[in-house]
Amino acid sequence: MFNKKTIFLGFASVLLAGTVVAAPVHNTNITEEEVRKAQEAWGAALIQISQDYSEGGLAKAKETAEAVLNQAYGYAQGPVLFKPTLATGETTFRITQEGALAYFVGDNPEFGDSGFALKGWREYSFENAAVYINGDLALTMGHVHLINAAGEKTTVDKTWGFKKDDQGDLRIVLHHSSLPYSK
Amino acid sequence: MFNKKTIFLGFASVLLAGTVVAAPVHNTNITEEEVRKAQEAWGAALIQISQDYSEGGLAKAKETAEAVLNQAYGYAQGPVLFKPTLATGETTFRITQEGALAYFVGDNPEFGDSGFALKGWREYSFENAAVYINGDLALTMGHVHLINAAGEKTTVDKTWGFKKDDQGDLRIVLHHSSLPYSK
Amino acid sequence: MFNKKTIFLGFASVLLAGTVVAAPVHNTNITEEEVRKAQEAWGAALIQISQDYSEGGLAKAKETAEAVLNQAYGYAQGPVLFKPTLATGETTFRITQEGALAYFVGDNPEFGDSGFALKGWREYSFENAAVYINGDLALTMGHVHLINAAGEKTTVDKTWGFKKDDQGDLRIVLHHSSLPYSK
Amino acid sequence: MFNKKTIFLGFASVLLAGTVVAAPVHNTNITEEEVRKAQEAWGAALIQISQDYSEGGLAKAKETAEAVLNQAYGYAQGPVLFKPTLATGETTFRITQEGALAYFVGDNPEFGDSGFALKGWREYSFENAAVYINGDLALTMGHVHLINAAGEKTTVDKTWGFKKDDQGDLRIVLHHSSLPYSK
């Protein structure tokens, strides 16, 4: 039935030798390590914008913020689900990059933000309460802690959604940040 | 080269007839319509718990809440990323079903909640600011509006993550709810 | 602006202590290790059916084959894309479990198979040429080598698609097997 | 408890008017329609290469084949699981684009192909036996029918895996093609 002779000649050496070369693997999935690095990078970027503002003023801060948004968020691919900590009313949700930039560095009368990234942030840490990984998308929820130049601490309740793109870079497609509820 | 005769005989009728039977399709993806229905179902469930509390007291409300959690949330599959509107401090995140049940109907000294679903909710609506669909997972962000028996309106900023399970049912795996920021 | 006092009291210990408890992670993705084990299990199952046939006859072989199909294939969830090595003509594709069972153990006049798993298989190995992992789905392509009781070797070109279900079990949703092309 | 006044003012108009603007939706999933078009495009591309060979010789055919591979296959992103119909032995699997190009237009001594796309194909059709859609990946299995300039028909058993990339284009990441088994 089978053409056994041909098959035998072709693959016997493999069976006898038992040495199997590792096959190339293409894996599009997101990993916990990548998520952790993306969370660290977000904090480092926020502090960088704050420092650039201190040293180079609004122009430099805005330039850095634009670079951060281009790299770390998914606005180029489509709408981003972004509810910033201090956004409210008609401009609660910053679906476009313009709205996100306004939130971080202000200077946009349409949104009226004072510029969250300009508030002198110096230290950053996060605590994940739980992580959910599904394919190339990861969701995290937990506390983010920020310390400003005056040593004051702020904590927010934070949810992120990270999407791994075709180049292997993680982009924020979801970001819900809120102040802790005060009883 | 090819065994053309066999092939010709086998498939000529198909080529001539031009009638192609539709192939069965197995599609695991989540749809906008399913997301919308899941969002509606969440509101209906909240109002149901409130009504059951009015009519049958805490025992009935708790029974309904457990059924809702079993069906609409993904706690049986693993941790759920849940930050309820009024949760704060050590119990901000309700990763387990016990914590979620405590939030909705109270009666659990470990969490100290008054029972969000017992607050006499009568009407519910939502406005999505944006929706992100990725495979069997959908993310929504927007406003949820609630009206209680006294006619008072409450709005929250709400993010949901819905995962479609193997049976085709949507389960909430992410839920971040927060009061609008007050300047 | 922020209620800094509350936040300070609530989370200072975390920031000072620097001890972060690992967050629970829910990860639905398939891993290379899981894929490798599923590939090994397929071969072990084929040999088991062959051995059961030798020792217990058709009834026992069929019982084992049914158990294998129930566990290793995704027929309970929907159509499976299965093109068995020796299937041809009108019954080339075995989209239903009935067709797959007929292929492995014969005894079904609708399909006319002699029973691929009854051919006295004793050894099994595989060589992946490449692996593609995308979320909860993994695709593999490579050679599968089989040796029967007479010591004759057969090699086939094999493609598999494995889907990880909600319980964490891998199920074959795609299986294309073909004899090497003979020039 | 809630700041009801602010909320009332902010959203009453929405609740009263009942007109909800459609939210922007970002959907990365692959659709049946996209799969069908990609299957049609594959056949059109094959015929185009054949026609370009007839009219412009090998150079033109090769140019077209390279363009097809660049656009329709995922080699730029990583290994592609490709088992062409007439490939066998050491070069059964064409994981790299070089191997795929060699298969379609020959002219590469390392692979020794005569050039499958140069065989004068004029008509193309396909019949899906089943389709499996999982996120941004779709799997199809069925028959592909080809007719050459002499009117001879060839049918192959064909499996494809299509991955939708970040730009919304479908790319073949899996392709297993085999001649029907001859009893």
Side-chain angles (χ1 to χ4, degrees):
Chain A
M1 175 190 66
F2 291 3
N3 185 342
K4 291 177 190 101
K5 195 168 161 226
T6 301
I7 294 164
F8 182 88
L9 292 174
F11 298 101
S13 60
V14 173
L15 289 170
L16 294 174
T19 54
V20 174
V21 178
V25 177
H26 189 184
N27 191 330
T28 66
N29 289 342
I30 207 167
T31 67
E32 286 184 56
E33 174 72 6
E34 290 171 331
V35 171
R36 195 181 55 73
K37 284 184 180 173
Q39 291 182 305
E40 286 171 357
W42 186 89
L46 181 69
I47 289 169
Q48 186 65 49
I49 301 171
S50 275
Q51 285 180 334
D52 285 353
Y53 182 59
S54 300
E55 296 164 14
L58 183 59
K60 192 171 179 190
K62 190 179 277 191
E63 190 182 9
T64 303
E66 280 176 341
V68 168
L69 286 168
N70 285 336
Q71 189 192 320
Y73 284 75
Y75 286 107
Q77 285 77 45
V80 172
L81 287 62
F82 183 19
K83 206 298 284 179
T85 316
L86 309 180
T88 190
E90 303 267 315
T91 57
T92 298
F93 306 109
R94 306 298 172 97
I95 304 306
T96 65
Q97 183 156 338
E98 185 193 7
L101 183 66
Y103 181 75
F104 283 121
V105 298
D107 198 33
N108 186 331
E110 276 192 52
F111 292 89
D113 303 294
S114 57
F116 183 79
L118 310 182
K119 295 181 186 298
W121 305 117
R122 292 295 177 265
E123 291 183 44
Y124 160 82
S125 67
F126 63 94
E127 294 173 277
N128 289 326
V131 175
Y132 190 93
I133 294 180
N134 196 65
D136 56 7
L137 196 79
L139 305 172
T140 68
M141 181 179 275
H143 282 127
V144 160
H145 312 289
L146 294 170
I147 302 179
N148 66 13
E152 295 167 320
K153 293 174 185 66
T154 296
T155 290
V156 295
D157 301 336
K158 180 86 79 182
T159 293
W160 271 310
F162 299 98
K163 162 88 171 176
K164 193 174 184 176
D165 71 12
D166 288 348
Q167 280 70 47
D169 296 319
L170 268 56
R171 294 180 179 279
I172 295 170
V173 294
L174 170 74
H175 183 174
H176 186 152
S177 192
S178 56
L179 293 177
Y181 171 65
S182 290
K183 287 188 184 179
Chain B
M1 173 190 67
F2 292 1
N3 186 341
K4 290 177 190 100
K5 195 169 161 226
T6 301
I7 294 164
F8 182 88
L9 292 173
F11 298 100
S13 60
V14 172
L15 289 170
L16 292 176
T19 54
V20 175
V21 178
V25 177
H26 188 183
N27 191 330
T28 67
N29 289 342
I30 207 168
T31 66
E32 285 184 56
E33 174 72 6
E34 290 170 331
V35 171
R36 194 181 57 72
K37 284 186 180 171
Q39 291 182 307
E40 287 172 358
W42 186 89
L46 181 70
I47 288 168
Q48 186 66 50
I49 301 171
S50 275
Q51 285 180 335
D52 285 353
Y53 182 59
S54 299
E55 297 164 12
L58 183 58
K60 191 170 180 190
K62 190 180 276 191
E63 189 182 10
T64 304
E66 279 175 341
V68 168
L69 286 168
N70 285 337
Q71 189 192 322
Y73 284 75
Y75 286 108
Q77 286 77 45
V80 172
L81 287 64
F82 184 19
K83 205 297 284 178
T85 315
L86 308 180
T88 190
E90 303 268 315
T91 56
T92 299
F93 306 109
R94 306 299 174 95
I95 305 306
T96 65
Q97 183 156 338
E98 184 193 6
L101 183 66
Y103 181 74
F104 284 121
V105 297
D107 198 32
N108 186 330
E110 275 192 55
F111 291 89
D113 302 294
S114 57
F116 183 79
L118 310 182
K119 294 181 188 299
W121 306 116
R122 291 296 178 263
E123 291 184 43
Y124 160 84
S125 66
F126 63 94
E127 293 173 278
N128 288 326
V131 175
Y132 190 93
I133 294 181
N134 197 65
D136 56 6
L137 196 80
L139 305 171
T140 67
M141 179 179 277
H143 282 127
V144 160
H145 311 288
L146 294 169
I147 301 178
N148 66 13
E152 295 166 319
K153 293 176 184 65
T154 296
T155 290
V156 296
D157 302 336
K158 180 87 77 181
T159 294
W160 272 309
F162 299 97
K163 162 89 170 175
K164 193 174 183 176
D165 71 12
D166 288 348
Q167 280 70 46
D169 296 320
L170 269 56
R171 294 180 178 281
I172 295 170
V173 295
L174 169 74
H175 184 173
H176 185 151
S177 191
S178 56
L179 294 177
Y181 171 65
S182 291
K183 288 190 183 178
Chain C
M1 175 188 65
F2 292 2
N3 185 343
K4 290 175 189 101
K5 194 168 164 228
T6 301
I7 294 164
F8 181 88
L9 292 174
F11 298 100
S13 60
V14 173
L15 289 169
L16 294 175
T19 55
V20 175
V21 178
V25 177
H26 188 184
N27 191 331
T28 66
N29 289 341
I30 208 168
T31 67
E32 285 184 57
E33 174 73 5
E34 289 170 331
V35 171
R36 195 182 55 73
K37 284 186 180 172
Q39 290 182 307
E40 287 172 358
W42 186 90
L46 181 70
I47 288 169
Q48 187 65 50
I49 301 171
S50 275
Q51 286 180 335
D52 285 355
Y53 182 60
S54 300
E55 296 165 13
L58 183 59
K60 191 171 181 191
K62 191 180 277 191
E63 188 182 10
T64 304
E66 280 176 339
V68 167
L69 285 168
N70 285 336
Q71 189 192 321
Y73 284 75
Y75 286 106
Q77 286 77 46
V80 172
L81 286 63
F82 184 19
K83 205 298 284 177
T85 315
L86 309 180
T88 190
E90 303 269 315
T91 56
T92 299
F93 306 108
R94 306 298 173 98
I95 305 306
T96 65
Q97 183 156 337
E98 184 193 7
L101 183 66
Y103 181 74
F104 283 121
V105 297
D107 198 32
N108 186 331
E110 275 193 54
F111 292 89
D113 304 293
S114 57
F116 183 80
L118 310 182
K119 295 180 185 298
W121 305 117
R122 291 295 178 265
E123 290 184 45
Y124 161 82
S125 67
F126 63 93
E127 294 173 278
N128 288 326
V131 175
Y132 190 93
I133 295 180
N134 197 64
D136 56 7
L137 195 80
L139 305 171
T140 68
M141 180 179 276
H143 282 127
V144 159
H145 311 289
L146 294 170
I147 301 178
N148 66 13
E152 295 166 319
K153 293 174 185 65
T154 296
T155 291
V156 296
D157 302 335
K158 181 86 77 183
T159 293
W160 271 309
F162 298 98
K163 162 89 171 176
K164 193 174 184 176
D165 71 11
D166 288 348
Q167 280 70 48
D169 295 320
L170 268 57
R171 294 179 178 281
I172 295 171
V173 294
L174 170 73
H175 183 174
H176 186 151
S177 192
S178 55
L179 293 176
Y181 171 65
S182 291
K183 287 188 184 180
Chain D
M1 175 188 67
F2 292 1
N3 185 343
K4 289 172 191 109
K5 193 169 163 228
T6 301
I7 294 164
F8 181 87
L9 292 174
F11 298 99
S13 60
V14 173
L15 290 168
L16 293 175
T19 54
V20 175
V21 179
V25 177
H26 188 184
N27 191 330
T28 68
N29 289 343
I30 208 168
T31 66
E32 285 184 57
E33 173 74 5
E34 290 170 330
V35 171
R36 194 180 57 73
K37 284 185 179 173
Q39 291 181 307
E40 287 171 357
W42 186 90
L46 181 70
I47 289 169
Q48 186 65 51
I49 300 170
S50 275
Q51 285 180 333
D52 285 354
Y53 182 59
S54 300
E55 297 165 13
L58 184 58
K60 191 171 179 190
K62 190 180 277 190
E63 189 181 9
T64 304
E66 280 175 340
V68 168
L69 285 167
N70 285 337
Q71 189 192 320
Y73 284 75
Y75 286 108
Q77 286 76 47
V80 172
L81 287 62
F82 184 19
K83 205 298 284 177
T85 315
L86 309 180
T88 189
E90 302 267 315
T91 56
T92 299
F93 305 109
R94 306 299 172 96
I95 305 305
T96 65
Q97 182 157 339
E98 185 193 6
L101 183 66
Y103 181 74
F104 284 120
V105 297
D107 197 32
N108 186 330
E110 276 192 53
F111 292 89
D113 303 295
S114 57
F116 182 80
L118 311 182
K119 295 181 187 298
W121 305 117
R122 292 295 178 264
E123 290 184 44
Y124 160 83
S125 66
F126 63 94
E127 294 174 277
N128 289 326
V131 175
Y132 190 94
I133 294 180
N134 196 66
D136 55 7
L137 196 79
L139 305 171
T140 67
M141 180 179 276
H143 282 128
V144 160
H145 312 288
L146 294 170
I147 301 178
N148 66 13
E152 295 166 319
K153 294 177 183 64
T154 296
T155 291
V156 296
D157 302 336
K158 180 87 76 183
T159 294
W160 272 308
F162 298 98
K163 161 88 170 176
K164 193 174 184 177
D165 71 11
D166 288 348
Q167 281 69 47
D169 296 320
L170 268 57
R171 294 178 178 281
I172 296 170
V173 295
L174 169 75
H175 183 174
H176 186 151
S177 191
S178 55
L179 293 177
Y181 171 66
S182 290
K183 287 189 183 178

